[in-house]
Amino acid sequence: MKDAKTLAHINLFGVLASLSTLCAVDDEAKALIRGKNQSVTFRIRKGPRLTLVFKDGECRALPGVGNGQVQLFFRSYDHFNALMDGQANPIPLWGFTRLGFLTGPFDQLSKRLEFFLRPTDERLVQPDYRRTNTALLISVALNASIQVANLDPELAQIRKGLPRGDILFRVNGGPAQGIGIAPNQVQALPELPTEPRATMTFADMDAACDLLNGRRDSFSSIAAGRLQLAGYIPLLDNFDKFLFKVNQYLN
Amino acid sequence: MTMFKQSASEFERALKVIPTGIHGHLGPVAGCAIPVDAFPKFAARSEGTYFWDLDGNRFIDYMCAYGPNILGYADADVDRAVMEQMRKGDCASVPFTTMIDMAELLVDTVASADWAFFAKNGGDVTSLALMTAKAATGRKKTIMVKGNYHGVAPWTQKAGYPGVVEEDVTNNLYVEWNNLEQLKQTIADNKGEIACFISTPYWHPAFEDNALPAENYWQEVRKLCTENGIVLAIDDVRCGFRLDLKGSDHYYGFEADLICFCKAIGNGYNFSALCGTDAMKDAVSSVFYTGSYWLASQPFAAGIATINKLRAIEGDQQVLSMGRKLTTGLHEVGRQHGFDLRISGEPSMWYMRITNDDNLMLHQQWVAECVKRGVFFANHHNLFMNCAITDDDIQFTLDVANDAFQVVAANNPALLLK
C-alpha cells in the first residue's frame, strides 16, 4: 500500500531534490541555470518543506528550509503527489514576479530530470546518458529509501529493530554515499564514513546502471561479483527491504 | 587454493531458471558467503564429513548441510535401511508401519515425548506447535524471543518484509532472551491471552554471539508457563540431537510441552517431527494438518537407523566433545596471530567471530581464506559438528585456520591485538 505522506517525502526529498545531482552532472542542465539566482520553496501544509537554491550554475537542495524567493504551497500530501504526477498545480504564495523562472528554466529542468529518469533501450546505449541516468537513480533510490525507512507505516516493525552502524554505498569510479542507521532513524551522512560497518560496492557505473534500471537483478549482480557486500550484513539486509519498498512507491 | 570455474558457470545457468539461482539459506546471496567468489556453489558428491564441488575441490563441511548431516554423509547404515525400505515402497495411499516404528523410537528416546506427529520441514512443525497450543488453550497470542529463527512462515518474519503483512504478526509478542522480568511483564500485560511461549533451547541467531540460558532460566520459564496456562514449545530444529538425544529440554533440565525436531533426525533424509506430552495429544489430534509426502516411509527408515546409531555411539556426547576440541584449537590459533576469535554457544554447533573489528570484515576475510583452502565455514551462522569428523580432520582444519590467519594478519596489521 502507498502511504501518501511517505510518497510525498519520496517525491520531495528523493525525486525533486535530485535536481541538484542533475545540475552537477549534466551540462545541459547546468546551462539552463547559468547566471540565475533564484530559490524556490515547496511547502506542504502540516508537512515538510524543501528549498531549491539556484546560484552560480549550481543547484542546492535544502530540506527544511522555507525562505525561498518563490513559495509554492500544497494543501495536502495528495495535492503535492498529484503535482508530481502532472495532475495538479501548486498554489503560489509569494514571488509572483519570479514565476517566469518556474515556467521557463525550472520547467525545462524538470523535463530534463524526467528524460533521465525514464530511460529507453535506445537512450541507455549512449554512454553520457547512462552515466547521468545512473547518478540520478542512485541519488533517488538512496534518498527515497531514507524516507521509506523513516516513515512507511508498514515498515514500523523493521524500523524499530534496526541495528546501528554506517553503510557506505559506492560505485567504483562513480558516486558514493554514506547512510547512518539506528533504531527508528535512518539518515544520509554529510561525509563518507571512514569506518563503515557495512559496504555495498558496485564494480563500475555499468554494474550500477544495469541493476538500477532493472536490466540485471541484485542476485545475479552479487553472484557475478558486480555488486559486492561486506561487513555487518543485517544493516544491508534491512536497507534492502527499504529499497524494495521504494520500488513499489515509484512504479 | 581452490578455483570455482565450473560452479560459477552452473550458477549462471541456474540464475536463468531459478529465482536467485539458489534460493534460501544454501544460496550465495543469503549473507553467509562473503565474498561470494570464495565459495563453491554446487556439490558433485558428499561422503562422511566432506563434500566435493563441481571443480573437484574437497571441503571439510562444518555446515553439515546446515544441520542435517549428523552421522556423516552417505552413512552406510542409514543408506542401507533406506535401500531396504525402497524395495518395499515409499509413498502409498496408506502409510507403512515404519511410521509407527519411528514414533515409538522417538517416544522411547526423547524424554518429554509421549507421541510424535510427522511433517517435512522445521517450519512445518513450529507452525504446528503454535496451532496445537492455540487449539489446547483457546488463546491467540504467542511469545517469541527476539532474534530467534523459527522458519519462514509469515508469523516467523517481520511485518514489512516482502510478502509479510501486519496481520501476519499481530498476535506475536517479543521478549529478550534470558529476560525473565520482561517475560513476566508480558504475561501480566496479556493475562489469559497467551497460548504459547516458543523458543530455541539457547539463543543462536545469525550474526550475533550466541547465549546460553542463565542459571534457572528454563526452570523459571517452565514455572511461569505452568502457572499461567501457557504451552511451552521448544524449537529444537537446529539443536536437536546435538546436545542431548533425550531432547534439549532434558539437557537444560526442564520439560517442554511440545518439542520440534527436524535437521539431524534423519541424517539428511527429509522429515520432521513434533513431539509432545499426553496433555497436548487431543489438541494436536484436533488440528487439520497434513502434506503430500509427509508419511513417506524411506525417511522414517533413515530416521530409525540414524537414532539407533546415535544412541549406540553416544553421538550427542561425541559431537560435543569433538566440537570442544576444535573450537578450543581455533581460538588458540587465532590468539597466536593476534586475533580474538570469540566462540559462543554449545561446541557441537558453535558460533564464532573475530572481534578485533566491529564490522565482521576481518572474520569474512578469514572465513574466505579457510574456504579457499578446503575448510567450509559459513560466515555468520552456527557451525555444526558431525560424528564422522576425526582427529585428523580437526588437525587439518587447525592447519588451514593457521594459514588463513596468517594471510589476514599480513593484510590487516593495524587491527591485530597487541
Side-chain angles (χ1 to χ4, degrees), chain B residues 186-334:
Chain B
T186 303
I187 291 171
D189 291 345
N190 296 272
K191 207 154 185 61
E193 293 186 292
I194 299 165
C196 184
F197 176 66
I198 186 167
S199 173
T200 55
Y202 76 89
W203 199 61
H204 49 68
F207 295 97
E208 302 286 342
D209 292 341
N210 291 185
L212 301 182
E215 195 175 348
N216 286 328
Y217 171 74
W218 276 122
Q219 289 67 32
E220 288 295 319
V221 171
R222 174 69 273 179
K223 192 161 163 266
L224 277 170
C225 288
T226 303
E227 287 171 357
N228 290 279
I230 297 167
V231 174
L232 176 54
I234 290 301
D235 175 354
D236 217 7
V237 168
R238 200 180 292 179
C239 295
F241 301 149
R242 276 192 167 82
L243 306 186
D244 189 334
L245 290 172
K246 294 182 177 178
S248 297
D249 55 345
H250 183 266
Y251 184 76
Y252 289 122
F254 70 103
E255 186 174 273
D257 298 310
L258 298 169
I259 185 164
C260 310
F261 293 104
C262 186
K263 293 191 182 295
I265 198 170
N267 205 45
Y269 288 91
N270 58 327
F271 77 109
S272 60
L274 178 69
C275 294
T277 60
D278 264 336
M280 294 289 114
K281 199 172 178 183
D282 285 349
V284 76
S285 302
S286 71
V287 173
F288 179 63
Y289 208 62
T290 185
S292 294
Y293 307 100
W294 286 11
L295 305 186
S297 65
Q298 285 174 34
F300 293 142
I304 292 163
T306 299
I307 292 175
N308 280 332
K309 188 162 183 176
L310 283 171
R311 283 169 62 153
I313 65 172
E314 296 183 327
D316 48 358
Q317 297 306 308
Q318 194 175 320
V319 289
L320 281 166
S321 158
M322 293 296 267
R324 204 166 288 120
K325 185 182 285 187
L326 175 68
T327 53
T328 304
L330 287 172
H331 177 80
E332 175 57 20
V333 173

Side-chain angles (χ1 to χ4, degrees), chain B residues 345-358:
Chain B
E346 297 284 3
S348 52
M349 46 170 279
W350 77 106
Y351 179 83
M352 61 182 175
R353 72 177 173 104
I354 293 173
T355 67
N356 299 50
D357 58 9
D358 84 332

